[in-house]
């Protein structure tokens, strides 16, 4: 609206309207889950091994991965880089995410490792409206090459691997 010089409000959603799913419940994932929970989001987490966080539904292992995805409107990846997590944010994973949230399609946020996302799958899912938006902080090649289509996609937000820079 600002670019068009249009004075018009836009739809906002209460935190309680969104189911956030955090992949990776280490130090950053746990802290993020607790803070989002305290803000009123419906928060769940998934990790390889079972974790317990008050007020956060914790899923574990491959057997519970699809259940975790089905309840998730906003997928946040804070996973470590391992052979098992390489390429985990792919078209198959995106297609398993919830379509019941207020955006009608899920959102992906990757602040974990670039190896976890398949950029071509994210772009294809955005173009097919299987994904509402993506915010990406990490990439396989950094800095992100100037010719990457991620830079210009209207529903992609790029940050320069700075998500963990905080006090």
């Amino acid at each position: 609206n600002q670019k068009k010089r249009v004075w018009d409000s836009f739809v906002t959603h209460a935190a309680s309207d969104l189911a956030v799913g955090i992949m990776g419940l280490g130090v950053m994932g746990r802290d993020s889950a607790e803070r989002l929970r305290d803000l009123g989001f419906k928060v769940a987490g998934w990790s390889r091994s079972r974790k317990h966080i008050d007020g956060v539904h914790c899923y574990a292992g491959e057997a519970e991965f699809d259940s975790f995805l089905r309840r998730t409107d906003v997928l946040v990846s804070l996973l470590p880089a391992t052979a098992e997590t390489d390429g985990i944010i792919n078209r198959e994973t995106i297609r398993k995410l919830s379509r019941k949230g207020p955006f009608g399609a899920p959102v992906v946020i990757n602040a974990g490792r670039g190896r976890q996302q398949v950029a071509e799958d994210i772009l294809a899912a955005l173009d097919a409206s299987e994904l509402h938006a993506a915010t990406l902080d990490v990439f396989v090649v950094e800095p992100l090459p100037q010719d990457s289509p991620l830079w210009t996609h209207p529903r992609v937000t790029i940050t320069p691997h700075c998500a963990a820079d905080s006090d």
Side-chain angles (χ1 to χ4, degrees):
N1 284 345
Q2 182 175 340
K3 287 179 183 178
K4 296 176 187 174
R5 299 178 187 188
V6 173
W7 188 267
D8 189 16
S9 62
F10 51 88
V11 176
T12 60
H13 304 283
S16 60
D17 291 342
L18 287 162
V20 178
I22 299 173
M23 292 193 302
L25 293 174
V27 173
M28 290 190 333
R30 180 184 192 95
D31 188 55
S32 297
E34 290 172 340
R35 289 173 188 260
L36 289 167
R37 173 205 62 204
D38 293 348
L39 290 171
F41 289 93
K42 296 177 280 191
V43 182
W46 177 82
S47 56
R48 294 283 175 198
S49 60
R50 179 77 53 206
K51 304 288 192 289
H52 299 280
I53 304 170
D54 288 341
V56 175
H57 188 139
C58 295
Y59 295 82
E62 197 63 38
E64 296 180 10
F65 188 57
D66 287 357
S67 295
F68 163 76
L69 294 173
R70 280 193 298 273
R71 57 84 51 212
T72 297
D73 301 321
V74 178
L75 180 67
V76 179
S77 180
L78 296 171
L79 290 166
T82 67
E84 292 82 22
T85 65
D86 284 356
I88 196 167
I89 305 171
N90 57 43
R91 193 94 181 253
E92 180 182 350
T93 297
I94 291 166
R95 286 178 170 156
K96 293 177 182 177
L97 292 165
S98 170
R99 304 288 185 275
K100 297 176 185 173
F103 303 119
V107 173
V108 167
I109 300 170
N110 187 9
R113 296 290 180 254
R115 295 177 6 194
Q116 294 162 3
Q117 67 199 18
V118 180
E120 297 80 12
D121 285 4
I122 291 170
L123 290 165
L126 286 163
D127 291 341
S129 297
E130 296 169 353
L131 190 59
H132 178 72
T135 297
L136 308 173
D137 184 60
V138 291
F139 305 91
V140 174
V141 175
E142 293 184 353
L144 185 63
Q146 292 292 313
D147 62 349
S148 171
L150 292 168
W151 283 112
T152 57
H153 198 286
R155 290 184 289 142
V156 174
T157 301
I158 302 294
T159 55
H161 202 145
C162 63
D165 295 346
S166 67
D167 292 327

